[in-house]
Amino acid sequence: MGEAVASALAELARRDGRSAEMARQALDTLAPGNDLESLNQHTVQRFCWFELPARFSRTDRAAALRALGTLFSLLQLHRYAQICSAPATTHLLSVHDRDHGAGVAVYERMMWESGVEPPDLPELTWGTVVGDAEIRARQETASALELAIVLGDVRPGKQGWRHAQERFTRSFLTRPDDRGLSHLDRIREERVRAWLSSPAHPHRRHLWPLVGRIIAGADVPRTADTTMAPLQRLLDLAEDGIALTQIGYISPGVVRSMCEDFGWRTSPEPPRSETDATQLIALHQMMRGMRVVRRSGRRLVLTRRGRQLRADPEEMWRAATETLCRTGGPEQAAAETLLGMLLSRTPQGSGSHSRPGESDMITAERLLTGSGWTPPEPQSPSGRHAASHRRTAEAASDQVRAMVMSVSWLLDALGLLTEDDGCGHRELTAAGRVFALASLHKSAVAPRAVV
């Protein structure tokens, strides 16, 4: 391939030395080392429609595009040459000249319409901060889509082509290699390891013993409808609207009905308001996070997403597991820490991080504070500011403990925890272990926004 490129550049230089230099610069970006084997339509389009305006001045863009097109023709890469000479490419560059933001918008639309842009799937949203496995998977998927379009298996612009593109992409990404691993498997493993190693989330170092299980995740269990029953009931009520108090709590009548139907213990009993039923507090917060309800005046009503999930307990399960560990900040850290601690627990009921006589809440709080989520205890035992420092540390500690407790309340509301053993220790039920693994998996394999 190197000889073919050298010969084509030499021929172009005989015609126009400046054009040959422009083409060489462009090719160095497109195919470093003149590696034409790695070149594909997606790469050419990205360069011509997005990178070229940044690499060449306005006066040189058209000339660089013509030079690159000529080089492709000399290399017998006629489809790529057509991209360079297409009226749509010329139009895009003119839009870039007038308004960069508008040019980027046109670029994104044209890439999507071309059919070689790998689409997001329910099981994989492509990231912007990626590792080597994801870069390779996306590049190879784009090349596979290009071949599928050439063969007519995917026909951009024709009716149903988006579904055909998604089916082809899913098939390609899940196809195992000679080691039995697919691109999707490798992306998930890469993301989980990066998630566990994140310096911004030191609490996750306690989750490393679970790495294999987090990578594998967990399928929706057959008992999903039973687990989701409390959420299902609230969504059913929200279809007609759940009455709210003046300050936005669920009405006492609904609170009492839910507690009676699901056997929730409250203090006092019967509950007087939502604030007396920790299970309902957690479910109300979860529904808000899932975006299945919204407030309309003094009522809580279903959103469009709520109607969709109400009709499908399995999708509701997936949405709930995705929401629990995707809140961000210390709330997410609290959920990840408690779930990891409970999953690490031995059958005898003592977690690997527990200390004798220490409750689950205290253990989780200690793991979080040890990871830097709260200010440390004041070093100085005396002095006029000592009392203020102690109050600050105690308030921060109470806040972390409250976040951990809210996760426990949710697990309790969904019937995912066993009874307290009298020492503040609880275990996950069989469904609870599946739910916890799925929640950690969803958090870990989500596309990263920052390094």
Side-chain angles (χ1 to χ4, degrees):
M1 284 297 181
E3 293 180 0
V5 172
S7 176
L9 286 172
E11 173 61 26
L12 189 56
R14 281 193 290 271
R15 301 180 187 181
D16 186 337
R18 186 165 178 271
S19 293
E21 178 59 23
M22 286 182 171
R24 185 193 62 76
Q25 291 179 29
L27 193 63
D28 284 345
T29 300
L30 280 164
N34 295 335
D35 180 18
L36 297 184
E37 294 289 341
S38 63
L39 197 62
N40 62 22
Q41 181 179 334
H42 186 278
T43 303
V44 174
Q45 288 179 175
R46 177 178 172 82
F47 178 81
C48 293
W49 298 346
F50 184 75
E51 296 178 13
L52 186 140
R55 294 183 178 273
F56 292 89
S57 66
R58 292 187 179 186
T59 55
D60 287 342
R61 288 173 190 170
L65 202 57
R66 285 194 299 272
L68 181 62
T70 301
L71 178 63
F72 282 145
S73 294
L74 291 170
L75 290 168
Q76 303 298 306
L77 299 174
H78 298 299
R79 286 192 301 108
Y80 299 163
Q82 289 173 1
I83 294 172
C84 298
S85 60
T89 301
T90 303
H91 169 70
L92 176 57
L93 292 181
S94 68
V95 175
H96 265 294
D97 289 344
R98 296 192 303 270
D99 185 332
H100 175 71
V104 171
V106 175
Y107 153 73
E108 291 175 346
R109 176 178 57 79
M110 288 173 58
M111 283 293 283
W112 181 233
E113 291 176 348
S114 72
V116 296
E117 180 70 55
D120 289 336
L121 303 173
E123 57 269 44
L124 175 66
T125 299
W126 297 101
T128 54
V129 179
V130 298
D132 292 340
E134 189 163 349
I135 291 173
R136 189 179 310 111
R138 191 162 190 169
Q139 180 80 355
E140 292 184 11
T141 302
S143 294
L145 282 169
E146 177 181 351
L147 180 59
I149 292 169
V150 171
L151 295 176
D153 296 331
V154 177
R155 300 182 179 184
K158 301 296 183 181
Q159 185 176 4
W161 81 270
R162 305 272 194 209
H163 294 299
Q165 184 198 41
E166 288 185 8
R167 284 195 302 271
F168 180 89
T169 300
R170 179 176 292 106
S171 174
F172 181 79
L173 288 174
T174 56
R175 188 180 306 148
D177 59 15
D178 54 2
R179 294 180 57 190
L181 295 175
S182 67
H183 279 303
L184 185 59
D185 293 330
R186 294 183 185 281
I187 291 171
R188 286 174 171 170
E189 179 176 357
E190 181 176 68
R191 287 185 177 184
V192 170
R193 293 186 180 278
W195 181 82
L196 289 169
S197 304
S198 172
H201 300 88
H203 67 280
R204 291 176 184 159
R205 68 176 181 268
H206 301 294
L207 301 175
W208 270 106
L210 301 169
V211 58
R213 296 164 67 187
I214 294 174
I215 291 171
D219 294 330
V220 179
R222 295 178 181 177
T223 57
D225 55 344
T226 302
T227 301
M228 292 293 106
L231 274 173
Q232 181 78 56
R233 176 71 60 80
L234 287 170
L235 294 188
D236 289 343
L237 294 172
E239 174 69 15
D240 297 321
I242 299 174
L244 300 174
T245 65
Q246 189 171 358
I247 57 176
Y249 291 126
I250 292 175
S251 67
V254 173
V255 174
R256 287 191 291 270
S257 174
M258 290 288 293
C259 290
E260 290 173 5
D261 290 348
F262 292 100
W264 294 335
R265 297 175 184 172
T266 64
S267 179
E269 199 165 356
R272 296 166 299 188
S273 73
E274 180 183 335
T275 57
D276 295 332
T278 57
Q279 302 90 341
L280 207 53
I281 292 173
L283 288 174
H284 191 172
Q285 183 178 3
M286 168 66 82
M287 290 195 301
R288 298 277 192 175
M290 292 168 66
R291 304 188 308 280
V292 294
V293 293
R294 63 178 176 83
R295 184 170 178 172
S296 178
R298 292 277 296 276
R299 303 184 77 78
L300 206 60
V301 299
L302 282 180
T303 62
R304 180 180 178 184
R305 175 174 168 81
R307 293 189 190 92
Q308 293 171 341
L309 295 185
R310 178 178 173 236
D312 192 337
E314 289 192 2
E315 281 303 313
M316 194 186 305
W317 169 284
R318 294 188 183 95
T321 56
E322 185 172 355
T323 301
L324 182 56
C325 291
R326 296 288 299 279
T327 54
E331 292 86 357
Q332 179 171 335
E336 292 170 354
T337 299
L338 181 62
L339 294 180
M341 190 183 78
L342 292 173
L343 280 169
S344 300
R345 176 152 292 162
T346 63
Q348 288 72 31
S350 58
S352 58
H353 305 296
S354 300
R355 293 175 178 174
E358 191 175 66
S359 71
D360 291 343
M361 298 302 104
I362 298 297
T363 302
E365 177 197 345
R366 176 172 53 79
L367 292 175
L368 280 167
T369 54
S371 299
W373 281 107
T374 61
E377 290 289 334
Q379 299 296 315
S380 205
S382 61
R384 63 175 184 168
H385 298 300
S388 175
H389 286 318
R390 280 195 298 273
R391 285 194 298 272
T392 299
E394 289 168 2
S397 179
D398 289 344
Q399 183 181 12
V400 172
R401 194 175 308 173
M403 288 186 291
V404 175
M405 289 178 67
S406 69
V407 180
S408 179
W409 293 345
L410 177 68
L411 298 176
D412 185 45
L414 298 176
L416 301 176
L417 289 175
T418 62
E419 292 293 327
D420 191 315
D421 66 356
C423 298
H425 298 150
R426 305 180 75 175
E427 294 185 22
L428 291 166
T429 63
R433 299 181 79 80
V434 177
F435 189 90
L437 270 177
S439 296
L440 291 174
H441 173 80
K442 292 286 183 65
S443 177
V445 302
R448 287 179 290 159
V450 294
V451 180

